Amino acid sequence: MPQTPPVVDIVQASQAAITAILNKIETVVLGKPKECRLALACLLAQGHLLIEDLPGMGKTTLAHVLATTLGLTYQRTQFTNDLLPADIVGFSIFDQATNRFELHKGPIFNQVVLADEINRASPKTQSALLEAMAEQQVSIDGITHELPRPFFVIATQNPLFHAGTYPLPESQLDRFMMRLSLGFPDIKAEKQILLTSSQRTNQKTADNQAAVVSQDELIAMQDAVSQISVSNDVLEYIIALSHVSRRAYSSHTSQVNNSGETAAEISCKPLSPRASKALLQAAKAMAFIDNRDYILPDDVQAVFYVVCQHRLEMQANQQLDPSQQESTSVARQILNSVDVLNPLGY
Amino acid sequence: MMLFKKKKKQLSKGTSGNVNSKTRSNFYLSRQNTWLLWLCQCLNIAVVAMELSTWMLTIIALSLAWQALLLQQNSDRATTSRGKHPGTVQSNLANKRHSHGLSKQLTTNVSPVVLGIFALLGCVAIALTAKQVGILLSMVHLLCFSYALKGFELRTRRDFYQLLLLGLFILASALIFRQDLAFSLIIFSLLILNLTVLLQFFSSEKAFATNLKVVVVLLGQSALLAMVLFLVFPRLSPFWQVPFAKSAETGLSDTVKPGDIANLTRSTKLAFRADFGTQKVPDYAQLYWRAIVLENYDGRQWRRQNKVTTNNTAARSIIFDASNTEVLPLTYQVFVEASFQKYLFALAPAVVTGNTSGITAQTDYTIQSSTIISQAKSYRLTSYLTAPLALELSPQSRQINLSYPQGSNPRLEQLALQLQHNYVDVQARAQAVLTLINQQNYSYTLQPPLLINNSLDQFFFDSQAGFCVHYASAFTFLMRASGIPARLVTGYLGGEYNGVTAEVNSAGKIVNKGHLSIYQYDAHAWSEIWVAGKGWLRIDPTGAVDPQRVNIGWSNQLLQEQAELNNSFFSLYRMKNITWLNTLRLQFDALDYQWTRWVIGFTSQQQYDLLKHWFGKMVPWKLALIIAVTLVLSMLMLMLLLHWLNRPKVKKQTFAQWQIIYHKAIDRLAKQGIEKPLAMTVNDFAKKIRQQCPELAIVFTRLSASYNRLCYQTLSISEQEKQAVTMQQQYHHFIQVLKNSDKKHL
């Protein structure tokens, strides 16, 4: 029986690859190292990624470069309001030559599915992604088809208040491990974008870039991520965070019941166990990227906003600047209310 | 029920959303709670119902019935409209509005003008009858009247509070009239119910049982404080004393005509209790509790002679003059119930031994309270059972006790003359009458036939059936007519022995032999004749007709008669024949006795005595100090209790060694003015330290890294130990650096 190498070794062995991937992404998405790391963490944690921002902020570029760098099959689907579920998952068509129904696979059968402007499609079409995202399989005409592994959905969306957008159903929002916002680049980065963009149009650099890691390497890294060790303290920290949200939710609702006044400091939806799981998984990936085989509360804090904010907020934040959004967000309030050293308050 | 809860939830959402109706919709009661409130109203009124006059009760009953009708209508309407349009959202919304106003519609149906006029009329009526019923009762009337009417205008939260407060006030005022244990328990449970209604209003989403439990727990907790205050809080009259109720007099009265006491014997109400301590309880036939001596007879009824009261020492001298030293004293404690009369009960001849204030002894060997007994009261007596009463009889007294209206009962007078002629000896003459009664066909009954003009002739010669007063009256009349000074005495005979209260202390010594409970049905009347050299002799003609009554107590035949008269299922007769019920009754009687003794009987005097017993001689400043200290202490105790109850309820976790070290380190830093925010991770804090005090950077970063490894990395035990040792060293290093940097700064 072949002995699997300990996680520490895989972590260390993968460091070179990870640095390479990050470098490559950062050359395309300029001035956003933090977001790049989070996006990579999301993919390593086998979660789906939702990128929300204004048009023209580099959402698609990030999605694109992620797919190509990891060497995965990739297809982009532009979501519009007349898009039908069959356009995504595929359909059976009668072939007169063979007298049989033949399956025309939709774009979902790629390893990376880029759902561009997902919230412009109707909720029905959005829901077509549900099964694929949760179960990694699709059913067409009653036949279940396995999807390739690894499988990611990277979706981009415009902020909700934009014209012609449908809000994503909560169930679907919950299936995205992270929701990222890129935000405006700083002066230096923007200058560089302006400089490089004129050269790049002809060269199509991003498309031509060869993959940095093979699929097998990627799968090995994903397995290593799930094996990262978690201490009891970190588990309690995660539990404490989700409990704060649940307590805030229940006290909020009961107060509404009684006197019609809302006096709760934090008003949010409660975090589900799926959210806690996603939080743990994402934190593991962050530890992995950080060259550690164990999670620190730092990892949890680093991913908490992107993993939980879209599950917590009662209504979409309309603040444009993501940095401002974060500092005033519910997620930040919850983080601030839990003692890191003694999360359950013994 | 489910439907109900759901509706409530929607309801509250509706209220929070709708700003327009906010002021209006702040107040609503659930249907269950509205009915509970109504029930509370009914029950609260019921406890004072005995004191209210019939017209007021009728008005209140009508108001409550009307309110119930309105409530029923409202809930009916709510259900029918829900039934009509089950599905649509619109109608559901309408329903919410509708059920929302459930309790409010109750008021909108009765216009304030009508209500106002009604209230005014009621007040006028109360004012008109005030003179008749007395100030206290008319105030109670007013209270109940407003309580019943307030139910009609339940519009805002404030109205609800008012209604509840009025209810509590009524409960409190009910205690003016009765204070026995059973009644107090009823009042207490009603208090719980009232408070539950209040709580139900605030946490309507919880089940009734849950709220009930909360109230019970809360009251239990406050009972502790109440107990302390009960013991030490000064009973300043008149602020903290129960006002006197001029209630219907119970018990004996100072005029007696034949047939009077028979009515009294239908009552099973308690008259008083007697506690003989460790002494043997005297025989039943010895237990003649004297209350009133009636010496004036006008041919129809017996009347009390206005006596000159003597003080206690005089009474003592009267008894001791007469008694020789061989007479054994019998000391006992008597606990009387409120009778709204002045009479106290004693086994003659008696001397008040305990606290004598407020008790006066009479020359006829009865004792009286100086004020009307409106509250349970206790006193201590010493009786000399075999001592003679009044060896000397003043001429004036002799004259009174021989007088009778000539010709009022001619046949008896004739018999008396005959007796006087036949029997020269006074006692023989009396005995002859008793023999006569015993041998002839006389019967003892609770239902004596009516006598025309209370004629004793008619009783003695025609009907020959009567109760104790008949026999005693006739006997006394015969004695007077035959020239023997005689008088009628009323009081109680016997009493029920209750051994439940008997106590035996740890040494096997009997501390208490139980107590006697004397009920109204023990009321009795007998005669006393004056014999030269022997004083007043007690002669009970009842013994001649029904010896059992005198020696053991009520015969079964009498009990049966009483049961028939009272027409109640739980009559004494049945109770006494069912063993376990009787045991239960005795148990409860014992409990009630202790209640009367320790709670009701805890007067300001007893409080003073208790404090004196605890703290020595009382001076005002000392008293004030004690009260102040107790109050402060109890408040402190309460605060501590609250604090303790509110402590975070989690199990204690022992901190690991490295956690303690790290906490020590950050405590040290906090003293330096660098606080670690709760939510900041160890790494981030290390970073902050690096920026703020570079000299600590290296040591603290190392310490933090060790902490992180120990806390979050999975290490083997040996690795862990090693790391812990390292961290300990790092900590010492850190402290050194810290001290050095301090010195530099200084």
Side-chain angles (χ1 to χ4, degrees):
Chain A
M1 190 180 166
Q3 189 127 27
T4 47
V7 189
V8 201
D9 296 348
I10 306 176
V11 173
Q12 268 158 13
S14 313
Q15 274 317 297
I18 283 170
T19 333
I21 296 168
L22 282 175
N23 281 340
K24 206 144 255 180
I25 299 172
E26 280 166 30
T27 53
V28 180
V29 182
L30 294 165
K32 294 287 169 193
K34 195 180 133 205
E35 281 74 11
C36 294
R37 280 162 72 91
L38 286 171
L40 180 61
C42 182
L43 299 196
L44 287 179
Q46 306 182 42
H48 305 292
L49 181 63
L50 177 65
I51 309 174
E52 181 189 273
D53 220 323
L54 297 168
M57 303 289 274
K59 298 186 296 283
T60 319
T61 315
L62 174 62
H64 196 79
V65 76
L66 270 175
T68 51
T69 326
L70 299 175
L72 304 171
T73 60
Y74 160 77
Q75 190 166 355
R76 169 181 167 166
T77 313
Q78 182 69 38
F79 278 44
T80 54
N81 54 5
D82 55 356
L83 191 77
L84 293 174
D87 296 335
I88 299 169
V89 295
F91 47 90
S92 297
I93 195 160
F94 189 70
D95 189 347
Q96 283 195 325
T98 55
N99 255 1
R100 283 170 60 189
F101 277 99
E102 234 165 68
L103 177 70
H104 273 241
K105 292 183 175 177
I108 198 101
F109 285 92
N110 285 289
Q111 285 170 318
V112 176
V113 179
L114 173 58
D116 220 355
E117 309 205 47
I118 189 174
N119 61 341
R120 292 206 182 273
S122 63
K124 183 184 175 189
T125 313
Q126 289 171 1
S127 304
L129 282 172
L130 271 182
E131 190 189 2
M133 290 169 73
E135 325 280 341
Q136 304 232 340
Q137 64 185 27
V138 285
S139 304
I140 304 168
D141 293 340
I143 304 161
T144 308
H145 303 271
E146 284 290 324
L147 292 176
R149 193 172 175 244
F151 172 75
F152 301 125
V153 174
I154 302 176
T156 69
Q157 71 168 351
N158 295 124
L160 262 188
F161 54 89
H162 271 227
T165 57
Y166 294 94
L168 280 181
E170 276 162 30
S171 54
Q172 181 142 19
L173 260 186
D174 198 33
R175 280 175 171 77
F176 285 104
M177 178 180 269
M178 288 187 189
R179 190 190 66 182
L180 270 182
S181 284
L182 287 172
F184 299 111
D186 55 16
I187 297 172
K188 199 176 136 199
E190 190 156 11
K191 203 184 269 176
Q192 219 173 343
I193 291 168
L194 292 177
L195 277 176
T196 48
S197 62
S198 54
Q199 304 164 0
R200 196 178 295 169
T201 37
N202 294 331
Q203 292 174 359
K204 288 195 173 178
T205 4
D207 276 322
N208 292 339
Q209 264 167 1
V212 177
V213 287
S214 69
Q215 274 187 34
D216 290 339
E217 277 176 309
L218 181 63
I219 290 174
M221 280 198 265
Q222 286 182 336
D223 288 342
V225 163
S226 46
Q227 283 172 34
I228 294 246
S229 74
V230 189
S231 70
N232 187 40
D233 295 63
V234 171
L235 278 184
E236 282 181 357
Y237 186 51
I238 289 172
I239 290 167
L241 288 171
S242 53
H243 270 229
V244 169
S245 74
R246 289 168 203 174
R247 254 202 317 274
Y249 176 73
S250 61
S251 71
H252 175 77
T253 43
S254 69
Q255 267 169 2
V256 170
N257 254 348
N258 272 339
S259 52
E261 301 151 4
T262 49
E265 291 168 14
I266 302 171
S267 65
C268 62
K269 292 176 191 160
L271 287 179
S272 62
R274 187 197 278 159
S276 313
K277 246 168 88 180
L279 185 59
L280 178 63
Q281 199 62 25
K284 279 179 176 176
M286 278 311 270
F288 184 84
I289 293 173
D290 245 9
N291 193 14
R292 257 182 288 111
D293 67 330
Y294 57 94
I295 307 183
L296 288 180
D298 304 71
D299 301 321
V300 179
Q301 291 196 348
V303 296
F304 187 72
Y305 177 77
V306 286
V307 172
C308 296
Q309 178 62 25
H310 62 289
R311 302 169 209 258
L312 287 169
E313 60 190 11
M314 300 288 246
Q315 59 204 54
N317 201 331
Q318 302 209 343
Q319 203 116 34
L320 287 184
D321 189 355
S323 61
Q324 246 179 29
Q325 262 182 34
E326 187 174 348
S327 60
T328 58
S329 64
V330 185
R332 177 47 62 184
Q333 287 174 3
I334 290 178
L335 269 185
N336 284 345
S337 64
V338 177
D339 185 359
V340 179
L341 300 181
N342 193 7
L344 291 184
Y346 289 121
Chain B
M1 193 61 211
M2 274 307 291
L3 226 155
F4 219 88
K5 278 189 178 162
K6 213 168 152 192
K7 199 171 70 189
K8 246 183 311 190
K9 234 175 209 166
Q10 289 169 338
L11 235 158
S12 56
K13 269 184 196 160
T15 54
S16 67
N18 196 334
V19 186
N20 236 353
S21 63
K22 195 164 182 185
T23 44
R24 266 186 64 238
S25 58
N26 243 343
F27 177 74
Y28 71 91
L29 286 171
S30 70
R31 179 158 62 175
Q32 188 198 17
N33 212 17
T34 319
W35 278 110
L36 258 177
L37 184 63
W38 183 81
L39 181 72
C40 265
Q41 274 179 283
C42 294
L43 291 175
N44 289 345
I45 294 284
V47 294
V48 284
M50 294 284 277
E51 316 301 330
L52 298 179
S53 36
T54 328
W55 64 270
M56 178 51 78
L57 270 180
T58 321
I59 289 176
I60 290 172
L62 282 177
S63 320
L64 286 175
W66 192 1
Q67 281 168 25
L69 212 68
L70 291 176
L71 276 175
Q72 186 58 45
Q73 270 177 6
N74 282 327
S75 48
D76 277 354
R77 218 177 299 156
T79 45
T80 49
S81 61
R82 184 164 49 237
K84 269 178 204 160
H85 335 269
T88 59
V89 182
Q90 279 293 322
S91 74
N92 273 348
L93 268 169
N95 263 336
K96 270 176 240 157
R97 276 290 132 68
H98 195 93
S99 51
H100 194 129
L102 192 83
S103 53
K104 265 177 286 154
Q105 285 193 358
L106 197 153
T107 58
T108 47
N109 283 350
V110 182
S111 92
V113 180
V114 173
L115 208 61
I117 293 171
F118 192 52
L120 212 66
L121 283 176
C123 288
V124 169
I126 289 170
L128 286 179
T129 53
K131 228 181 188 154
Q132 203 184 329
V133 294
I135 185 84
L136 182 75
L137 269 185
S138 54
M139 282 300 145
V140 172
H141 273 78
L142 191 64
L143 188 65
C144 291
F145 184 56
S146 56
Y147 187 55
L149 287 194
K150 189 71 197 169
F152 282 114
E153 46 165 31
L154 207 58
R155 280 192 206 92
T156 61
R157 195 194 278 220
R158 189 186 293 180
D159 292 326
F160 175 67
Y161 289 160
Q162 275 176 2
L163 194 64
L164 267 173
L165 269 180
L166 274 177
L168 297 186
F169 208 84
I170 286 180
L171 285 185
S173 55
L175 283 174
I176 296 174
F177 304 103
R178 277 181 75 181
Q179 292 135 11
D180 58 86
L181 182 62
F183 194 70
S184 307
L185 285 178
I186 289 171
I187 296 288
F188 196 72
S189 42
L190 276 182
L191 175 70
I192 291 175
L193 190 64
N194 275 284
L195 290 179
T196 311
V197 170
L198 182 63
L199 192 64
Q200 192 90 332
F201 170 67
F202 284 110
S203 51
S204 49
E205 75 277 2
K206 289 205 184 100
F208 174 71
T210 325
N211 281 334
L212 193 70
K213 221 163 89 185
V214 171
V215 170
V216 170
V217 168
L218 281 177
L219 277 181
Q221 284 165 350
S222 40
L224 286 176
L225 187 67
M227 224 139 79
V228 174
L229 291 182
F230 175 78
L231 283 178
V232 300
F233 201 76
R235 277 137 209 273
L236 306 173
S237 55
F239 296 112
W240 278 283
Q241 256 177 11
V242 186
F244 295 131
K246 182 77 186 77
S247 185
E249 292 182 355
T250 51
L252 304 161
S253 66
D254 46 4
T255 58
V256 165
K257 48 186 183 291
D260 271 0
I261 288 184
N263 291 330
L264 197 56
T265 54
R266 284 162 64 174
S267 160
T268 52
K269 245 178 102 179
L270 184 75
F272 61 97
R273 291 194 177 95
D275 192 337
F276 288 89
T278 54
Q279 298 158 95
K280 188 179 170 295
V281 179
D283 290 340
Y284 193 93
Q286 289 285 310
L287 294 169
Y288 277 87
W289 303 94
R290 294 167 95 251
I292 313 169
V293 172
L294 305 143
E295 292 175 306
N296 283 352
Y297 183 60
D298 65 357
R300 295 211 178 131
Q301 56 185 10
W302 295 86
R303 210 181 284 279
R304 190 169 153 269
Q305 172 83 10
N306 285 328
K307 282 285 173 188
V308 190
T309 56
T310 59
N311 59 24
N312 197 45
T313 39
R316 188 187 291 264
S317 68
I318 296 173
I319 292 157
F320 277 104
D321 279 350
S323 63
N324 48 40
T325 46
E326 286 158 33
V327 174
L328 284 177
L330 182 68
T331 308
Y332 52 96
Q333 183 104 18
V334 177
F335 302 86
V336 284
E337 296 286 298
S339 62
F340 303 99
Q341 291 182 331
K342 287 184 173 181
Y343 306 114
L344 295 175
F345 315 100
L347 298 171
V351 185
V352 184
T353 40
N355 171 33
T356 55
S357 68
I359 298 175
T360 52
Q362 314 284 315
T363 45
D364 58 11
Y365 301 96
T366 59
I367 53 173
Q368 273 196 16
S369 164
S370 49
T371 52
I372 280 176
I373 303 160
S374 59
Q375 274 181 292
K377 184 182 172 90
S378 82
Y379 51 89
R380 205 165 176 76
L381 291 174
T382 304
S383 286
Y384 305 85
L385 288 184
T386 49
L389 301 179
L391 289 174
E392 302 291 327
L393 191 65
S394 67
Q396 188 194 8
S397 188
R398 169 184 284 274
Q399 194 244 321
I400 291 171
N401 283 308
L402 279 173
S403 68
Y404 59 95
Q406 300 286 333
S408 58
N409 291 296
R411 285 156 83 187
L412 274 177
E413 283 169 45
Q414 203 182 343
L415 178 67
L417 286 176
Q418 210 178 322
L419 283 170
Q420 193 175 15
H421 187 256
N422 291 352
Y423 301 93
V424 182
D425 182 48
V426 173
Q427 275 178 283
R429 204 180 300 159
Q431 190 55 48
V433 178
L434 293 182
T435 320
L436 186 75
I437 292 174
N438 191 13
Q439 281 169 357
Q440 288 200 21
N441 192 22
Y442 285 96
S443 64
Y444 194 65
T445 172
L446 285 177
Q447 297 155 282
L450 272 178
L451 304 175
I452 300 154
N453 279 338
N454 293 319
S455 151
L456 292 175
D457 268 359
Q458 193 193 351
F459 155 71
F460 202 80
F461 295 105
D462 300 336
S463 64
Q464 300 201 326
F467 197 58
C468 54
V469 190
H470 295 89
Y471 290 96
S473 301
F475 180 81
T476 314
F477 184 86
L478 268 175
M479 288 298 110
R480 285 191 179 185
S482 65
I484 306 171
R487 59 191 187 187
L488 191 73
V489 183
T490 57
Y492 296 85
L493 169 58
E496 183 178 49
Y497 172 72
N498 190 337
V500 180
T501 41
E503 287 171 53
V504 176
N505 71 4
S506 50
K509 211 175 134 192
I510 295 164
V511 180
N512 197 322
K513 282 193 171 171
H515 67 270
L516 280 179
S517 294
I518 292 93
Y519 296 94
Q520 293 297 352
Y521 61 73
D522 286 317
H524 194 56
W526 60 93
S527 301
E528 279 177 352
I529 58 171
W530 192 82
V531 182
K534 291 190 175 171
W536 286 104
L537 284 183
R538 181 178 66 226
I539 291 183
D540 190 354
T542 304
V545 59
D546 185 0
Q548 197 188 344
R549 169 76 185 95
V550 178
N551 292 319
I552 308 169
W554 283 48
S555 62
N556 274 343
Q557 178 234 329
L558 272 185
L559 284 172
Q560 240 164 357
E561 252 183 67
Q562 189 200 28
E564 275 165 30
L565 281 172
N566 281 348
N567 204 10
S568 74
F569 183 76
F570 291 105
S571 62
L572 196 64
Y573 171 62
R574 298 219 178 142
M575 290 271 242
K576 281 194 171 164
N577 281 327
I578 302 171
T579 324
W580 66 267
L581 256 181
N582 199 34
T583 325
L584 206 69
R585 194 176 61 85
L586 287 178
Q587 290 279 5
F588 190 77
D589 176 67
L591 263 181
D592 190 53
Y593 169 57
Q594 302 295 3
W595 171 258
T596 315
R597 193 167 159 189
W598 298 114
V599 181
I600 306 291
F602 192 75
T603 55
S604 54
Q605 182 60 41
Q606 257 141 328
Q607 182 181 39
Y608 183 80
D609 291 345
L610 185 72
L611 291 180
K612 203 161 112 182
H613 178 73
W614 283 350
F615 304 104
K617 200 173 175 308
M618 293 315 286
V619 271
W621 65 264
K622 213 168 169 183
L623 192 72
L625 192 73
I626 289 168
I627 288 161
V629 167
T630 331
L631 279 181
V632 169
L633 273 182
S634 48
M635 285 297 156
L636 271 177
M637 257 165 58
L638 212 67
M639 255 173 64
L640 283 177
L641 189 77
L642 269 179
H643 199 76
W644 183 72
L645 286 174
N646 287 341
R647 79 201 185 281
K649 273 181 191 159
V650 276
K651 61 180 197 299
K652 264 245 154 59
Q653 195 206 34
T654 45
F655 287 103
Q657 183 197 356
W658 50 87
Q659 281 172 318
I660 297 167
I661 294 176
Y662 187 75
H663 273 105
K664 272 196 220 162
I666 58 174
D667 282 350
R668 289 299 287 261
L669 285 171
K671 275 180 200 159
Q672 300 283 314
I674 307 166
E675 294 259 12
K676 176 184 167 300
L678 281 186
M680 193 177 258
T681 61
V682 175
N683 278 340
D684 289 347
F685 188 55
K687 212 183 278 171
K688 188 178 168 188
I689 295 291
R690 280 203 289 280
Q691 285 160 3
Q692 293 197 352
C693 16
E695 66 266 27
L696 285 174
I698 300 166
V699 276
F700 192 73
T701 311
R702 278 187 192 151
L703 187 73
S704 304
S706 293
Y707 176 80
N708 270 343
R709 283 201 68 191
L710 281 164
C711 233
Y712 302 114
Q713 200 173 0
T714 33
L715 298 171
S716 68
I717 294 172
S718 61
E719 277 177 321
Q720 207 174 45
E721 281 170 358
K722 225 167 116 189
Q723 188 74 51
V725 173
T726 321
M727 190 172 170
Q728 190 78 44
Q729 289 164 354
Q730 284 166 339
Y731 175 69
H732 288 307
H733 196 185
F734 161 76
I735 295 290
Q736 265 173 9
V737 175
L738 198 67
K739 279 179 183 163
N740 287 341
S741 71
D742 269 3
K743 272 177 202 161
K744 263 184 229 162
H745 282 299
L746 282 170

